[in-house]
Structures are given as structure tokens and as C-alpha cells.
Amino acid sequence: MTKRRIVGLEGSFAIAEAVRMANVDVISAYPITPQTHIVERLAEMIADGELDAEFICVESEHSAMSACVGASAAGARVFTCSASQGLELMHEVLYIPSSMRLPIVAVAANRALSAPLSVWCDHSDVMAIRDIGWIQIFAENNQQAFDLTVCAYRIAEDKEVLFPAMVHMDGFYLSHVTEGVMLPDEEEVAQFIPDYEYPFVLDPDNPVSMGCYGPPFIYPEAKKAQEVDFEKTKPKIQEVWNEFGDTFGRSYSPVEEYQMEDASIALLTMGSSGETAMLAADEMRAEGREVGLVRLRLWRPFPFKEFREAVKDVELLVVLDRALSFGMGGPVCSEVKSALYEKRKELNIVGFIGGLGGRDIPIDGFKYMVNRAVERVKAAEWGEEMGPEMIGVRE
Amino acid sequence: MGKEKIGWKELEIGCVVTEPGSAASYKTGEWRSERPVRDNTKCIKCGICYIYCPDACIREDEEGYFEADLYYCKGCGVCAHECPRGVITMVEEEEEAKEEKEK
Ligand code: SF4
Ligand code: SF4
């Protein structure tokens, strides 16, 4: 007998519910907008006895991640969350669990970086940590924020994975917006993420050393092993998402397609703007245009195969970046180009940068990008450069 | 050292080291460009070199004199600097090797 129910929850509370049902042992986090509600809700759950976990209060995000590393190494199931400057302060420590293979699960409420100071959403903080060896997954709505956090534990703790995983949820767009979320029965979640055993734990009776010194004679071997294992997580991630689908009725893929049947133009998004882009695709379809949408659910490890497959028949790919790599353009666009370079050199790829620091991208914004991309491809035939363009910026 | 031949497939997950105290087998002596050479006729057996060695690689022998274990000695020169009697001289490894050859 399952007791599934739909509850109105903001994204932060949906995450807190997922963490509670995952029955974590240790939480260590430091509040920062727009992630604060997750930490507050979890602290409340512990205080009210709804969750039997240790909450380690710390003075910074650097310490929060350090506490998580220690707890995870001792065999605990761990959670933390952050955003923006907080994630940056955590940055140094983020490399440790991915190299020591500790399955910590974290959530980032994606937010712009200073200056000027902005508490609003973009993906600058995500892009600053894309090379740290964490599995990075994007949620598009609050249901996904819940589901993908539950799945993140199952993925991270799998014996064939053992890498930390971060679920990315757009700050405010999801963290502070209430949506109906289908909550599963706690028992079902407990069965889906069984207790796990780390192959090595800090145990005085069976001493091991973790995070040792790696002189030049061993460091490259360590990195090779890490990279090979990281690549091998891809099929496992899909397997867990399929199994989640079988149990709970909602499954996920590294690359998700919308209206891509016979599409000649594809938009590409990550995160919450995918939902607006879907509406834009619907409207353009109604106008008789062959526009579809591709959403990257998995950002790391990058799903090369699935991505190439998704765009194999399109003639024009329109990429939205919610971050700027100064002097280079949009990081998603440049990665997508490199992913396609070997196989699809003839494909037109036009990148746009938008939605920085919480600036909304309305439906018309996506239509503009598609129209503008078509124009720019034509202009390129006359020799004009197709460099990245920032949209919605006042002259 | 045999461990220098380990391939990436043989490493434990996350480079965990399962053998306690294995750092002892790591030959830090290879870092050395100068080695401490002693003239024990001047030594007063005060043990200051022993106390100050940051690598803790100096041992006391049966007669109460001190000697660096060159498997670990990194050649930092702290012992030579601290010795109140000027017992210890730092000698270039290459010169030392030459002298040994000549012997
Ligand atoms: S040179 Fe440095 S490491 Fe070597 S014995 Fe002297 S103090 Fe110790
Ligand atoms: S510090 Fe100098 S005098 Fe004292 S024990 Fe060492 S070598 Fe001898």
C-alpha cells in the first residue's frame, strides 16, 4: 500500500523532503540566499524530531564541505547545499570528495556571482565548478528537484559509481516558487536508496589512510583511474533514472528532447528556462516552424553520445547560456561545439547569453533567439562572424 | 621502490592506502642535494641536532653520538645550522659521490 500524495512545496522544501526521506546521517551547511530555506527546513526537521541526523553548525561553506568530507569518510550519508559565493568558498574542498570518491550529495541553488552583488539566478556558480569531478544534474521544476535528489543518493552511493553528486536548481525560479510535488511513500524511498557500505571507512579497528600525498610517480595514475571511473558512471546514472521511473512513474535521461520529431531547428537549455522554452517551441510549432528543444539534464559527465544523437537531424542549434566565460562566450555553447566538432562540423551553432543575474527570459526571448540565429547564419554566409551575442541588454 | 611501478588499475578506489604506516617506506632521501657530514671529534653529544631535525631522521648510536638516516634525510641543513660545535658540514651530494668513488 503506497501513500503517494501531491503537496504544494517550494523547491527548497522539496529538496528538504528528499533529504529527509533519504534518511541522511549528517548535514553540514551554511546559509546563503537563495539556498537558505533548504538549510532552515532541515534544521527544523531535526529539531522537531522528524529527521534523526546530526546537524553540524559551521562558520563557512569551506568548513561545511570539510565536515561533509570527514563524515562521509566515516561512512555517513551526508548532505550539504550552497550557492554563488558560498559555492566558491567551498570550491577548494570540492575537489577532495571527488578524488577521494566520497558519495556526498549536495544541492546548489544556482545564483550569479559578485560584483555587482546579485542574489538572483544564473549559472555563473555552476560553470565555476564544472571541472571538479562531481556528477552535475540539472532540475527544471520542483518535482525534478525532489526526484533527482533522491536519485542522486542512489547514483552517488552505487559501488560502481562512488562519486559525489550535485543537483542544480535555479535560485528563486525553483527554490522559492511553490509547485505541486508528488511525494512518494517514505518506505518506497527507503527501499529505493538502501543503506550503503563504503568499501573503506575511517575505522580504528581497520585503519586506512585517505587523501594521501601523491608524488609524481603516482599522481597521473590516480587521475587516470578517476577519469576512467567517472566516464563509467554514465550508464549507471541512466540505469538509476530508469529504475526510478519504473518505481515512481517519472524517468529521466541525460539529454531530454521536446518536439524534436522532424525538427530542423533545436533550442538548447539547462535548468528552469527549459519550461519557458517548451512553451516557445509550442508556439513556433503552431506557426508551422520545425522547432524543437533539447535540455541537458546531465552536465557532468557530459553525455556526448546522447547529445549527438538528439541533434543528429537538425540544421541549426540555438544554445542559451546563463553564464559568461569572459573572453570566450557561453561555456555551454563552447562545450557543445566541441562535442559536435568531430562528427557534425557542418552544423550551424549559434550561441546566446541571457538571463544573467536573474533577468527573466520570456517566451518571446526564445523566439527572438531562433529568428536571430536564422538571420545570423545567413549573415555568416556573407562572411560575418557568428560570435556569441548577449540578449535583452539595453544599449 | 616497487610502488613506483603501480599501474592505474591497481590503485584502490580514491587512492586509499590500506597498509598502516606505509609512509615509512617512502625514500625522502632522494630529495637531498646536500648531505650532513660529521666530525664527531668535536661533538659534545648534546642532542640538539637530534631535537631540531624536522624530519626526525637522526638516531643516537650506542656511544651517544648522533647520525642522520640518509634514507630519509632531506638535506635541509637545520642540524648543521643548530649544532653549537660546528660538527656538521653540508656537502654537495655530487662531491660526496666523487669522493666515495676515489676511495
Ligand atoms: S640535513 Fe635536515 S633532514 Fe638531514 S639530518 Fe640534518 S636536519 Fe635532519
Ligand atoms: S648538535 Fe652538534 S654537538 Fe650536539 S649532538 Fe649534534 S652534532 Fe653533536
Side-chain angles (χ1 to χ4, degrees), chain A residues 99-101 162 198-200 207-213 215 217-218 221-222 224-225 228, chain B residues 1 3-9 11-22 26 31:
Chain A
S99 303
M100 279 166 59
R101 310 290 299 274
L162 292 173
Y198 191 68
F200 299 104
V208 293
S209 307
M210 291 182 181
C212 292
Y213 169 63
F217 76 78
I218 208 71
E221 280 71 21
K224 168 88 180 176
V228 169
Chain B
M1 207 159 84
K3 290 197 175 76
E4 297 190 14
K5 298 279 186 289
I6 283 183
W8 66 268
K9 288 178 191 160
L11 291 174
E12 293 287 5
I13 189 162
C15 260
V16 163
V17 175
T18 51
E19 184 194 330
S22 62
Y26 187 42
W31 303 9

Side-chain angles (χ1 to χ4, degrees), chain A residues 271-292:
Chain A
S272 62
S273 57
E275 303 233 317
T276 320
M278 277 190 228
L279 297 172
D282 287 346
E283 288 190 11
M284 284 185 277
R285 283 273 174 180
E287 291 160 11
R289 306 186 65 181
E290 294 164 340
V291 176

Side-chain angles (χ1 to χ4, degrees), chain B residues 38 43-49 66 83-85 87-88:
Chain B
R38 288 161 184 268
C43 177
I44 54 167
K45 301 179 180 176
C46 64
I48 285 178
C49 55
F66 293 87
C83 171
R85 301 279 296 171
V87 170
I88 305 167

Side-chain angles (χ1 to χ4, degrees), chain A residues 150-289:
Chain A
V150 168
C151 290
Y153 278 101
R154 179 65 188 279
I155 293 167
E157 293 172 1
D158 191 286
K159 277 202 165 54
E160 287 164 43
V161 176
L162 292 173
F163 275 101
M166 192 172 296
V167 176
H168 289 280
M169 158 177 81
D170 283 346
F172 289 108
Y173 289 108
L174 301 186
S175 64
H176 287 57
V177 168
T178 300
E179 291 181 331
V181 176
M182 170 73 86
L183 289 185
D185 183 45
E186 285 173 35
E187 268 306 304
E188 284 181 297
V189 176
Q191 274 168 24
F192 188 72
I193 1 179
D195 288 347
Y196 91 109
E197 258 177 54
Y198 191 68
F200 299 104
V201 289
L202 295 178
D203 170 9
D205 293 332
N206 299 289
V208 293
S209 307
M210 291 182 181
C212 292
Y213 169 63
F217 76 78
I218 208 71
Y219 191 88
E221 280 71 21
K223 292 296 124 177
K224 168 88 180 176
Q226 190 179 348
E227 171 63 359
V228 169
D229 285 357
F230 197 52
E231 278 294 318
K232 281 199 292 202
T233 62
K234 287 185 206 171
K236 202 72 216 181
I237 293 169
Q238 182 65 75
E239 208 181 295
V240 170
W241 283 343
N242 289 344
E243 207 183 303
F244 185 87
D246 294 341
T247 317
F248 300 99
R250 294 173 301 278
S251 61
Y252 299 97
S253 307
V255 178
E256 287 175 16
E257 301 177 23
Y258 182 75
Q259 300 267 36
M260 282 300 287
E261 198 102 323
D262 61 75
S264 60
I265 302 175
L267 278 160
L268 186 140
T269 59
M270 289 202 308
S272 62
S273 57
E275 303 233 317
T276 320
M278 277 190 228
L279 297 172
D282 287 346
E283 288 190 11
M284 284 185 277
R285 283 273 174 180
E287 291 160 11
R289 306 186 65 181

